[in-house]
Structures are given as structure tokens and as C-alpha cells.
Amino acid sequence: MKFTVSSADLLEALNTVKGAVPSKSTMPILECILFERDGDTLRLSATDLEISIIQTVPVQFEKNGTPESTPIAVPAQRLIDTLRALPDLPIEFAADSDFEIRMDTDQGHYKMVGHDGSDYPELPELEEQHEINVEGGLLGRSIDKTAFAVSQDALRPAMMGVYFQVSEEETSVVATDGHRLVKLTLPELRADTSADFIVPEKATKLAGRIVEDDEICTVRVDDSHVSFEFGESRVLARLIDETYPNYQSVIPDGNDRNLVVNREDMLNAVKRVGLYSSSMTNQIRLDITADTVTISAEDVERSSEAEETIHCDYDNEPMEIGFNSEYLTEVLSNVECDEVVFELSSPNRAGIVLPREGADDEDILMLIMPVMLNTYA
């Protein structure tokens, strides 16, 4: 295999696929990126056996080369580090039958040894059952607003992914870790047939990072895998083969205490006061009255405390409720509006956070579990 390519173009493509390269693996070849000739383009592939990324990049192959050039697995980190250290200039890349790699520029040359590309694991081929076309901006937004709530608990594998419920009427994107829950409903995203599937968090974040807002992304799903295809990129992932918990059962429908606050004021106050909460619990206290919310925290071990008051609109009896400051910060950070509504019931029941004025093309609901305060424990 021999070709010439811009160092910047190759680096950009490598940066796309490197997300699927494991930092350490019992299979050294997985720490490589597979180079294959695909007609007049170079196809780059990487996988950790659960998630794979494929990217094509235009290059100038040697005129005497053959379309059947032997694929080669190139050590990912060394190649990327080399290209990062180079300015944007043409690179002549050559690999021989012994998988020795040489890169020549007008400044010097670089050598490394790769692996036989035929030993690289085969990437999955989907037996297409469902296909959904979605705007890149909408997909990226749905991932950004839900992935933060995915569980990191390996004992609950179903909750370690983002749950997609696709129907002929709408799509719901859900994530929860048991402390927070996000449900994003997209009326404009529909499919010809219904499908429910759980995508690993890492795969959703990789897809969300790569996709451009103005691209159309094609999502294909079969019984075991999902692929996100956009532009010259493709992200494939093995689905989480578990039953997602009945999240609807934990969403309360009788929360009759409505608290309306300015989102940015509340977010900034929670961030500041949270700095003074216990490092073990991150607990903050909300003391809610008709027109003010007093946010307070203390850390007995460090002899520190903080308190702030912000204006609000509250339509019920005064109450106190506790939350984890980090969880509340993430929830407020992922609501795009000027004012948020907290629908509350009692200090020991889940609260619902909604935008006061939602976007036309989405309906978002966030749930956050309270933490017990000494005053009502």
C-alpha cells in the first residue's frame, strides 16, 4: 500500500476513529487502526470489539498500485502523536509485504512496524431491520441531554446505556442511574416500524461528538447491533441485551407544588453553595417559601458552610427538601430555557424539573431523587 495524503486530513480522520481504540488490550492488534484501500479512498477502522468506528479519507494512491492492496494495522498512538507534531504538509505513506511502514515528508522520514490487516477482527455487518433518518443536530442534542444520567453501575447493565423507544408517532430517549432520570420525547422523529433498543453510553457519546448539525444521520438497528452513519463516518455498537427498567413507574403524577425559578440564577447558586457541602454526600438544602428559595450547605468536617437566597414563584405551603448538588447542577445544566419549573410533592418523593417554555420539536422531563435531611429523617 502506497499513497500520498495531507497530514492534517489524515490526522482529522484518525482523531475520529481513535475513540474506538482501547488504551490497553490483551490483543495488541486492537491498539492499531486498520488501513484498507476502498476504491480511490482510504478506509480507516478501529474497534474494541464492542464499539467500532469507520472513516474514509481521500488520498492519492500510487498509480501503479492495485485496488486490492493488502490491508495493514498501524499502531494508533504513535501515528497520531507523529502527525500532531507535524505541520500541515504532504506525507507519502508506504507499507511493504512485511508490514513495515515508512512515512516520508520534505522534512524527514519515520518508520514503524504494523500488523497483518487480515488478522484484524472483522467488524459486524448489520442484518438491517429498522432504519431511521434524523438530523445530526437533533441526534446530537438528544445524546447531550440524556447521556449524563446514564448509570456507571456494572451490576445494572441495562441502565449503562441510553434507551431509545422509536415508534410511528414519536421517539423517546431515556437515561437513568436511579438518582436522576431524563426522558426526551421527539415528536418529529418517527420510524415506519416500532423498535426499542439500548445503546452503550460510549457509543452515543462518540456518535454525538462526530456528527455535524447539518448532516442527516441514518440509524440502522438489528437484533444485536446499531450503526450511526453520517457523511464519511460510521459508528457501530453492540446493543445492551437487557430489559430496560419500567421507568414510567417512578415518574410521579401527583406532584402539586410548583416552584418556578430563573434557571441560571438557580444553577449558579447551587454550584457555589455546593462547594461547601459534604464531600461524601454533596447534600444541599432548599428552604422554599412563597417568593424565595434559600439554598444552604454545610460540611462539619471542614467547618464550612454557605447560604444563598434567590427569588422564586411558589404556590404552596413552605417546605424544605434536600438534593445532591452535583446531580441538581447537571439537571439544570441540561435544560435550555430561561425559567424552570420544579414539580414537588414532599421532601422524600422525587421531584420533576421541566422547562417553563419548552422547544417546539422536543419535550423534556427530568426527575431527581431527594436526599434525606435531618429535619425529617
Side-chain angles (χ1 to χ4, degrees), residues 49-109:
L49 301 182
E50 294 294 326
I51 297 168
S52 308
I53 302 178
I54 301 170
Q55 172 80 22
T56 58
V57 58
V59 301
Q60 183 65 50
F61 282 100
E62 184 183 35
K63 292 182 179 180
N64 296 328
T66 62
E68 295 78 22
S69 296
T70 304
I72 184 169
V74 182
Q77 197 58 55
R78 174 166 288 181
L79 176 59
I80 291 172
D81 288 345
T82 301
L83 293 174
R84 281 177 177 166
L86 285 171
D88 183 11
L89 44 65
I91 289 181
E92 187 178 274
F93 180 101
D96 62 22
S97 58
D98 294 323
F99 311 109
E100 292 187 357
I101 300 162
R102 180 182 173 111
M103 294 186 295
D104 290 294
T105 72
D106 59 5
Q107 296 179 351
H109 68 271

Short mmCIF file of all heavy atoms in Angstrom, two decimals, residues 49-109:
data_model
loop_
_atom_site.label_atom_id
_atom_site.label_comp_id
_atom_site.label_asym_id
_atom_site.label_seq_id
_atom_site.Cartn_x
_atom_site.Cartn_y
_atom_site.Cartn_z
N LEU A 49 -14.04 -4.29 20.06
CA LEU A 49 -14.88 -5.48 19.97
C LEU A 49 -16.32 -5.22 20.42
O LEU A 49 -17.19 -6.06 20.21
CB LEU A 49 -14.29 -6.66 20.76
CG LEU A 49 -12.90 -7.11 20.32
CD1 LEU A 49 -12.45 -8.31 21.15
CD2 LEU A 49 -12.88 -7.44 18.84
N GLU A 50 -16.58 -4.08 21.04
CA GLU A 50 -17.94 -3.70 21.41
C GLU A 50 -18.41 -2.52 20.56
O GLU A 50 -19.56 -2.47 20.14
CB GLU A 50 -18.01 -3.32 22.90
CG GLU A 50 -17.74 -4.48 23.85
CD GLU A 50 -18.81 -5.56 23.78
OE1 GLU A 50 -19.98 -5.21 23.56
OE2 GLU A 50 -18.46 -6.75 23.95
N ILE A 51 -17.49 -1.58 20.32
CA ILE A 51 -17.80 -0.38 19.55
C ILE A 51 -16.77 -0.25 18.43
O ILE A 51 -15.57 -0.48 18.66
CB ILE A 51 -17.78 0.87 20.45
CG1 ILE A 51 -18.87 0.76 21.52
CG2 ILE A 51 -17.96 2.14 19.63
CD1 ILE A 51 -18.75 1.78 22.61
N SER A 52 -17.23 0.09 17.24
CA SER A 52 -16.34 0.25 16.09
C SER A 52 -16.63 1.58 15.40
O SER A 52 -17.77 2.05 15.41
CB SER A 52 -16.54 -0.90 15.08
OG SER A 52 -16.45 -2.16 15.71
N ILE A 53 -15.58 2.17 14.83
CA ILE A 53 -15.75 3.39 14.05
C ILE A 53 -15.03 3.22 12.72
O ILE A 53 -13.90 2.71 12.68
CB ILE A 53 -15.17 4.62 14.78
CG1 ILE A 53 -15.83 4.80 16.15
CG2 ILE A 53 -15.38 5.89 13.94
CD1 ILE A 53 -15.29 5.96 16.94
N ILE A 54 -15.70 3.62 11.65
CA ILE A 54 -15.13 3.55 10.30
C ILE A 54 -15.16 4.96 9.72
O ILE A 54 -16.15 5.69 9.84
CB ILE A 54 -15.94 2.60 9.41
CG1 ILE A 54 -15.94 1.18 10.00
CG2 ILE A 54 -15.38 2.57 7.99
CD1 ILE A 54 -16.90 0.24 9.32
N GLN A 55 -14.07 5.35 9.09
CA GLN A 55 -13.96 6.68 8.49
C GLN A 55 -13.21 6.55 7.17
O GLN A 55 -12.20 5.85 7.09
CB GLN A 55 -13.21 7.63 9.43
CG GLN A 55 -12.87 8.98 8.86
CD GLN A 55 -14.05 9.95 8.89
OE1 GLN A 55 -14.98 9.77 9.68
NE2 GLN A 55 -14.03 10.95 8.03
N THR A 56 -13.68 7.23 6.13
CA THR A 56 -12.96 7.25 4.87
C THR A 56 -12.30 8.62 4.69
O THR A 56 -12.82 9.63 5.16
CB THR A 56 -13.87 6.96 3.67
OG1 THR A 56 -14.93 7.91 3.63
CG2 THR A 56 -14.45 5.55 3.77
N VAL A 57 -11.16 8.62 4.01
CA VAL A 57 -10.42 9.86 3.78
C VAL A 57 -9.86 9.83 2.37
O VAL A 57 -9.35 8.79 1.92
CB VAL A 57 -9.31 10.05 4.84
CG1 VAL A 57 -8.34 8.88 4.84
CG2 VAL A 57 -8.56 11.34 4.64
N PRO A 58 -9.99 10.91 1.60
CA PRO A 58 -9.43 10.92 0.25
C PRO A 58 -7.91 10.98 0.28
O PRO A 58 -7.32 11.76 1.03
CB PRO A 58 -10.02 12.20 -0.37
CG PRO A 58 -10.35 13.07 0.80
CD PRO A 58 -10.72 12.16 1.93
N VAL A 59 -7.28 10.12 -0.50
CA VAL A 59 -5.82 10.10 -0.62
C VAL A 59 -5.47 9.91 -2.09
O VAL A 59 -6.33 9.59 -2.92
CB VAL A 59 -5.19 8.97 0.23
CG1 VAL A 59 -5.54 9.11 1.69
CG2 VAL A 59 -5.61 7.59 -0.30
N GLN A 60 -4.21 10.07 -2.41
CA GLN A 60 -3.73 9.84 -3.77
C GLN A 60 -2.90 8.56 -3.78
O GLN A 60 -1.76 8.55 -3.32
CB GLN A 60 -2.87 11.02 -4.24
CG GLN A 60 -2.39 10.91 -5.68
CD GLN A 60 -3.53 10.96 -6.68
OE1 GLN A 60 -4.39 11.84 -6.63
NE2 GLN A 60 -3.54 10.00 -7.60
N PHE A 61 -3.50 7.47 -4.25
CA PHE A 61 -2.78 6.20 -4.29
C PHE A 61 -1.76 6.22 -5.42
O PHE A 61 -1.93 6.91 -6.43
CB PHE A 61 -3.75 5.03 -4.49
CG PHE A 61 -4.49 4.64 -3.24
CD1 PHE A 61 -5.79 5.06 -3.03
CD2 PHE A 61 -3.88 3.87 -2.26
CE1 PHE A 61 -6.48 4.71 -1.89
CE2 PHE A 61 -4.55 3.52 -1.12
CZ PHE A 61 -5.85 3.94 -0.92
N GLU A 62 -0.73 5.43 -5.24
CA GLU A 62 0.29 5.28 -6.28
C GLU A 62 -0.37 4.76 -7.55
O GLU A 62 -1.18 3.83 -7.51
CB GLU A 62 1.37 4.31 -5.79
CG GLU A 62 2.54 4.16 -6.75
CD GLU A 62 3.54 3.13 -6.26
OE1 GLU A 62 3.10 2.13 -5.66
OE2 GLU A 62 4.74 3.33 -6.48
N LYS A 63 -0.02 5.35 -8.66
CA LYS A 63 -0.69 4.99 -9.91
C LYS A 63 -0.52 3.53 -10.25
O LYS A 63 -1.39 2.91 -10.86
CB LYS A 63 -0.17 5.87 -11.06
CG LYS A 63 -0.56 7.33 -10.92
CD LYS A 63 -0.06 8.15 -12.10
CE LYS A 63 -0.48 9.61 -11.98
NZ LYS A 63 0.02 10.43 -13.12
N ASN A 64 0.62 2.95 -9.91
CA ASN A 64 0.87 1.55 -10.23
C ASN A 64 0.31 0.59 -9.18
O ASN A 64 0.45 -0.62 -9.29
CB ASN A 64 2.36 1.29 -10.38
CG ASN A 64 2.95 2.07 -11.56
OD1 ASN A 64 2.25 2.29 -12.55
ND2 ASN A 64 4.20 2.49 -11.43
N GLY A 65 -0.28 1.17 -8.14
CA GLY A 65 -0.83 0.30 -7.10
C GLY A 65 -2.09 -0.39 -7.58
O GLY A 65 -2.69 -0.01 -8.59
N THR A 66 -2.50 -1.41 -6.86
CA THR A 66 -3.69 -2.16 -7.24
C THR A 66 -4.79 -1.90 -6.23
O THR A 66 -4.53 -1.67 -5.05
CB THR A 66 -3.40 -3.68 -7.27
OG1 THR A 66 -3.04 -4.10 -5.95
CG2 THR A 66 -2.28 -3.99 -8.22
N PRO A 67 -6.05 -1.93 -6.68
CA PRO A 67 -7.17 -1.73 -5.76
C PRO A 67 -7.21 -2.77 -4.66
O PRO A 67 -7.86 -2.59 -3.65
CB PRO A 67 -8.39 -1.82 -6.68
CG PRO A 67 -7.88 -1.52 -8.04
CD PRO A 67 -6.49 -2.05 -8.08
N GLU A 68 -6.53 -3.90 -4.86
CA GLU A 68 -6.56 -4.97 -3.86
C GLU A 68 -5.36 -4.88 -2.91
O GLU A 68 -4.83 -5.88 -2.44
CB GLU A 68 -6.56 -6.35 -4.54
CG GLU A 68 -7.80 -6.65 -5.36
CD GLU A 68 -7.78 -5.97 -6.72
OE1 GLU A 68 -6.69 -5.63 -7.18
OE2 GLU A 68 -8.87 -5.78 -7.29
N SER A 69 -4.89 -3.68 -2.61
CA SER A 69 -3.76 -3.50 -1.72
C SER A 69 -4.01 -4.21 -0.39
O SER A 69 -5.12 -4.18 0.15
CB SER A 69 -3.51 -2.01 -1.46
OG SER A 69 -3.16 -1.35 -2.65
N THR A 70 -2.96 -4.86 0.14
CA THR A 70 -3.08 -5.60 1.38
C THR A 70 -3.37 -4.65 2.54
O THR A 70 -2.66 -3.67 2.73
CB THR A 70 -1.79 -6.38 1.68
OG1 THR A 70 -1.50 -7.22 0.56
CG2 THR A 70 -1.91 -7.19 2.94
N PRO A 71 -4.42 -4.90 3.33
CA PRO A 71 -4.70 -4.03 4.48
C PRO A 71 -3.61 -4.18 5.53
O PRO A 71 -2.98 -5.23 5.66
CB PRO A 71 -6.05 -4.55 4.99
CG PRO A 71 -6.15 -5.95 4.50
CD PRO A 71 -5.42 -5.99 3.19
N ILE A 72 -3.40 -3.13 6.29
CA ILE A 72 -2.37 -3.14 7.32
C ILE A 72 -2.91 -2.46 8.57
O ILE A 72 -3.64 -1.47 8.49
CB ILE A 72 -1.07 -2.45 6.84
CG1 ILE A 72 0.02 -2.54 7.90
CG2 ILE A 72 -1.32 -1.00 6.43
CD1 ILE A 72 1.39 -2.13 7.41
N ALA A 73 -2.57 -3.02 9.73
CA ALA A 73 -2.96 -2.45 11.01
C ALA A 73 -1.80 -1.60 11.52
O ALA A 73 -0.70 -2.11 11.74
CB ALA A 73 -3.32 -3.55 12.00
N VAL A 74 -2.04 -0.31 11.71
CA VAL A 74 -0.99 0.65 12.04
C VAL A 74 -1.12 1.05 13.52
O VAL A 74 -2.22 1.38 13.97
CB VAL A 74 -1.10 1.91 11.16
CG1 VAL A 74 0.02 2.88 11.47
CG2 VAL A 74 -1.11 1.52 9.68
N PRO A 75 -0.03 1.02 14.28
CA PRO A 75 -0.09 1.45 15.69
C PRO A 75 -0.68 2.85 15.82
O PRO A 75 -0.15 3.82 15.27
CB PRO A 75 1.38 1.41 16.14
CG PRO A 75 2.01 0.40 15.23
CD PRO A 75 1.32 0.56 13.91
N ALA A 76 -1.81 2.95 16.53
CA ALA A 76 -2.59 4.18 16.52
C ALA A 76 -1.89 5.33 17.22
O ALA A 76 -1.77 6.42 16.66
CB ALA A 76 -3.96 3.91 17.16
N GLN A 77 -1.44 5.10 18.45
CA GLN A 77 -0.96 6.23 19.24
C GLN A 77 0.30 6.85 18.66
O GLN A 77 0.44 8.07 18.60
CB GLN A 77 -0.72 5.79 20.68
CG GLN A 77 -0.61 6.96 21.66
CD GLN A 77 -1.86 7.84 21.65
OE1 GLN A 77 -2.96 7.36 21.84
NE2 GLN A 77 -1.68 9.13 21.39
N ARG A 78 1.24 6.01 18.22
CA ARG A 78 2.47 6.55 17.66
C ARG A 78 2.19 7.34 16.39
O ARG A 78 2.77 8.41 16.17
CB ARG A 78 3.47 5.43 17.39
CG ARG A 78 4.73 5.90 16.66
CD ARG A 78 5.83 4.88 16.71
NE ARG A 78 6.40 4.80 18.04
CZ ARG A 78 7.41 3.99 18.38
NH1 ARG A 78 7.93 3.19 17.48
NH2 ARG A 78 7.88 3.98 19.60
N LEU A 79 1.30 6.82 15.55
CA LEU A 79 0.98 7.52 14.31
C LEU A 79 0.32 8.87 14.60
O LEU A 79 0.69 9.90 14.02
CB LEU A 79 0.07 6.66 13.44
CG LEU A 79 -0.43 7.29 12.14
CD1 LEU A 79 0.73 7.69 11.24
CD2 LEU A 79 -1.37 6.35 11.41
N ILE A 80 -0.65 8.87 15.51
CA ILE A 80 -1.36 10.11 15.83
C ILE A 80 -0.41 11.12 16.45
O ILE A 80 -0.42 12.31 16.11
CB ILE A 80 -2.55 9.82 16.76
CG1 ILE A 80 -3.64 9.05 15.98
CG2 ILE A 80 -3.13 11.10 17.34
CD1 ILE A 80 -4.78 8.54 16.83
N ASP A 81 0.45 10.66 17.37
CA ASP A 81 1.40 11.58 18.00
C ASP A 81 2.37 12.17 16.98
O ASP A 81 2.73 13.35 17.06
CB ASP A 81 2.19 10.85 19.10
CG ASP A 81 1.35 10.54 20.32
OD1 ASP A 81 0.27 11.14 20.45
OD2 ASP A 81 1.77 9.70 21.14
N THR A 82 2.77 11.37 16.00
CA THR A 82 3.67 11.86 14.95
C THR A 82 3.00 12.95 14.12
O THR A 82 3.57 14.01 13.87
CB THR A 82 4.11 10.71 14.03
OG1 THR A 82 4.77 9.71 14.81
CG2 THR A 82 5.06 11.21 12.95
N LEU A 83 1.76 12.69 13.72
CA LEU A 83 1.05 13.66 12.89
C LEU A 83 0.75 14.94 13.65
O LEU A 83 0.77 16.04 13.08
CB LEU A 83 -0.24 13.03 12.36
CG LEU A 83 -0.06 11.88 11.36
CD1 LEU A 83 -1.40 11.25 11.02
CD2 LEU A 83 0.65 12.36 10.10
N ARG A 84 0.47 14.83 14.93
CA ARG A 84 0.21 16.02 15.75
C ARG A 84 1.45 16.92 15.82
O ARG A 84 1.34 18.14 15.92
CB ARG A 84 -0.20 15.61 17.16
CG ARG A 84 -1.65 15.16 17.28
CD ARG A 84 -1.93 14.70 18.70
NE ARG A 84 -3.33 14.34 18.87
CZ ARG A 84 -3.81 13.65 19.90
NH1 ARG A 84 -2.97 13.26 20.87
NH2 ARG A 84 -5.08 13.36 19.99
N ALA A 85 2.61 16.29 15.78
CA ALA A 85 3.86 17.06 15.90
C ALA A 85 4.31 17.64 14.57
O ALA A 85 5.28 18.40 14.54
CB ALA A 85 4.95 16.16 16.48
N LEU A 86 3.62 17.28 13.48
CA LEU A 86 4.00 17.78 12.16
C LEU A 86 3.12 18.95 11.76
O LEU A 86 1.95 19.02 12.14
CB LEU A 86 3.85 16.67 11.12
CG LEU A 86 4.90 15.56 11.10
CD1 LEU A 86 4.46 14.45 10.16
CD2 LEU A 86 6.26 16.12 10.66
N PRO A 87 3.65 19.87 10.96
CA PRO A 87 2.78 20.89 10.36
C PRO A 87 1.95 20.26 9.24
O PRO A 87 2.14 19.08 8.90
CB PRO A 87 3.79 21.89 9.79
CG PRO A 87 5.02 21.08 9.52
CD PRO A 87 5.06 20.02 10.58
N ASP A 88 1.03 21.03 8.70
CA ASP A 88 0.21 20.52 7.60
C ASP A 88 1.07 20.46 6.33
O ASP A 88 1.44 21.50 5.77
CB ASP A 88 -1.00 21.43 7.39
CG ASP A 88 -1.92 20.90 6.29
OD1 ASP A 88 -1.72 19.75 5.85
OD2 ASP A 88 -2.83 21.65 5.88
N LEU A 89 1.39 19.25 5.91
CA LEU A 89 2.21 19.06 4.70
C LEU A 89 1.90 17.69 4.10
O LEU A 89 1.31 16.83 4.75
CB LEU A 89 3.70 19.20 5.02
CG LEU A 89 4.29 18.52 6.27
CD1 LEU A 89 4.24 17.02 6.22
CD2 LEU A 89 5.72 18.99 6.47
N PRO A 90 2.27 17.47 2.84
CA PRO A 90 2.02 16.16 2.22
C PRO A 90 2.89 15.07 2.86
O PRO A 90 4.06 15.30 3.16
CB PRO A 90 2.40 16.39 0.76
CG PRO A 90 2.40 17.86 0.57
CD PRO A 90 2.81 18.44 1.88
N ILE A 91 2.29 13.92 3.03
CA ILE A 91 3.01 12.75 3.57
C ILE A 91 2.87 11.61 2.57
O ILE A 91 1.77 11.34 2.07
CB ILE A 91 2.44 12.31 4.92
CG1 ILE A 91 2.78 13.32 6.01
CG2 ILE A 91 2.96 10.94 5.33
CD1 ILE A 91 2.29 12.92 7.38
N GLU A 92 3.98 10.96 2.29
CA GLU A 92 3.95 9.75 1.47
C GLU A 92 4.00 8.55 2.41
O GLU A 92 4.96 8.35 3.13
CB GLU A 92 5.13 9.71 0.50
CG GLU A 92 5.04 8.55 -0.49
CD GLU A 92 6.19 8.57 -1.47
OE1 GLU A 92 6.08 9.26 -2.51
OE2 GLU A 92 7.20 7.89 -1.18
N PHE A 93 2.93 7.79 2.40
CA PHE A 93 2.80 6.63 3.29
C PHE A 93 3.01 5.37 2.46
O PHE A 93 2.40 5.20 1.40
CB PHE A 93 1.39 6.62 3.92
CG PHE A 93 1.12 5.48 4.86
CD1 PHE A 93 1.18 5.66 6.24
CD2 PHE A 93 0.78 4.21 4.38
CE1 PHE A 93 0.92 4.62 7.12
CE2 PHE A 93 0.51 3.16 5.25
CZ PHE A 93 0.58 3.36 6.61
N ALA A 94 3.87 4.47 2.94
CA ALA A 94 4.13 3.22 2.23
C ALA A 94 4.25 2.08 3.23
O ALA A 94 4.85 2.23 4.30
CB ALA A 94 5.41 3.33 1.40
N ALA A 95 3.66 0.93 2.89
CA ALA A 95 3.77 -0.28 3.70
C ALA A 95 4.11 -1.43 2.78
O ALA A 95 3.49 -1.61 1.72
CB ALA A 95 2.46 -0.55 4.43
N ASP A 96 5.12 -2.23 3.18
CA ASP A 96 5.54 -3.35 2.33
C ASP A 96 4.90 -4.65 2.79
O ASP A 96 4.07 -4.69 3.71
CB ASP A 96 7.06 -3.45 2.29
CG ASP A 96 7.67 -3.73 3.66
OD1 ASP A 96 6.97 -4.24 4.54
OD2 ASP A 96 8.88 -3.44 3.83
N SER A 97 5.31 -5.75 2.15
CA SER A 97 4.71 -7.06 2.43
C SER A 97 5.07 -7.59 3.81
O SER A 97 4.43 -8.51 4.32
CB SER A 97 5.13 -8.07 1.36
OG SER A 97 6.55 -8.16 1.32
N ASP A 98 6.09 -7.01 4.45
CA ASP A 98 6.45 -7.40 5.82
C ASP A 98 5.80 -6.48 6.84
O ASP A 98 6.16 -6.54 8.03
CB ASP A 98 7.97 -7.37 5.98
CG ASP A 98 8.67 -8.43 5.13
OD1 ASP A 98 8.08 -9.53 5.00
OD2 ASP A 98 9.75 -8.13 4.60
N PHE A 99 4.91 -5.61 6.38
CA PHE A 99 4.16 -4.69 7.22
C PHE A 99 5.05 -3.67 7.92
O PHE A 99 4.75 -3.20 9.02
CB PHE A 99 3.30 -5.47 8.24
CG PHE A 99 2.49 -6.56 7.59
CD1 PHE A 99 2.82 -7.89 7.79
CD2 PHE A 99 1.45 -6.25 6.72
CE1 PHE A 99 2.11 -8.90 7.15
CE2 PHE A 99 0.73 -7.25 6.09
CZ PHE A 99 1.05 -8.58 6.30
N GLU A 100 6.14 -3.36 7.26
CA GLU A 100 6.99 -2.26 7.71
C GLU A 100 6.47 -0.97 7.07
O GLU A 100 6.23 -0.93 5.85
CB GLU A 100 8.45 -2.50 7.34
CG GLU A 100 9.07 -3.65 8.11
CD GLU A 100 10.57 -3.77 7.85
OE1 GLU A 100 11.09 -2.99 7.02
OE2 GLU A 100 11.20 -4.64 8.46
N ILE A 101 6.29 0.04 7.90
CA ILE A 101 5.66 1.28 7.47
C ILE A 101 6.71 2.38 7.41
O ILE A 101 7.53 2.52 8.32
CB ILE A 101 4.53 1.68 8.45
CG1 ILE A 101 3.47 0.58 8.51
CG2 ILE A 101 3.91 3.01 8.05
CD1 ILE A 101 2.58 0.67 9.72
N ARG A 102 6.67 3.17 6.35
CA ARG A 102 7.56 4.32 6.22
C ARG A 102 6.73 5.52 5.80
O ARG A 102 5.90 5.43 4.89
CB ARG A 102 8.66 4.05 5.19
CG ARG A 102 9.63 5.24 5.01
CD ARG A 102 10.66 4.96 3.95
NE ARG A 102 11.48 6.15 3.67
CZ ARG A 102 12.76 6.27 3.97
NH1 ARG A 102 13.40 5.27 4.57
NH2 ARG A 102 13.43 7.37 3.67
N MET A 103 6.95 6.63 6.49
CA MET A 103 6.30 7.88 6.13
C MET A 103 7.37 8.91 5.79
O MET A 103 8.29 9.13 6.59
CB MET A 103 5.43 8.40 7.28
CG MET A 103 4.23 7.50 7.59
SD MET A 103 3.14 8.22 8.85
CE MET A 103 4.22 8.21 10.28
N ASP A 104 7.26 9.49 4.60
CA ASP A 104 8.24 10.47 4.13
C ASP A 104 7.58 11.83 3.97
O ASP A 104 6.48 11.94 3.42
CB ASP A 104 8.83 10.02 2.79
CG ASP A 104 9.74 8.81 2.94
OD1 ASP A 104 10.79 8.94 3.59
OD2 ASP A 104 9.37 7.73 2.43
N THR A 105 8.29 12.86 4.44
CA THR A 105 7.88 14.24 4.20
C THR A 105 9.10 14.98 3.66
O THR A 105 10.21 14.42 3.58
CB THR A 105 7.40 14.92 5.49
OG1 THR A 105 8.54 15.17 6.34
CG2 THR A 105 6.40 14.05 6.24
N ASP A 106 8.93 16.24 3.33
CA ASP A 106 10.09 17.00 2.85
C ASP A 106 11.03 17.39 4.01
O ASP A 106 12.07 17.99 3.79
CB ASP A 106 9.64 18.25 2.09
CG ASP A 106 8.79 19.17 2.95
OD1 ASP A 106 8.62 18.90 4.16
OD2 ASP A 106 8.29 20.19 2.40
N GLN A 107 10.64 17.00 5.24
CA GLN A 107 11.48 17.30 6.39
C GLN A 107 12.22 16.08 6.93
O GLN A 107 13.19 16.20 7.66
CB GLN A 107 10.63 17.91 7.52
CG GLN A 107 10.00 19.24 7.13
CD GLN A 107 9.15 19.82 8.25
OE1 GLN A 107 8.90 19.15 9.24
NE2 GLN A 107 8.72 21.06 8.08
N GLY A 108 11.73 14.89 6.58
CA GLY A 108 12.38 13.69 7.09
C GLY A 108 11.54 12.45 6.83
O GLY A 108 10.60 12.48 6.03
N HIS A 109 11.91 11.35 7.49
CA HIS A 109 11.15 10.11 7.33
C HIS A 109 10.99 9.45 8.69
O HIS A 109 11.76 9.67 9.63
CB HIS A 109 11.83 9.17 6.33
CG HIS A 109 13.13 8.62 6.83
ND1 HIS A 109 14.34 9.25 6.63
CD2 HIS A 109 13.41 7.49 7.55
CE1 HIS A 109 15.31 8.54 7.17
NE2 HIS A 109 14.78 7.47 7.74
#
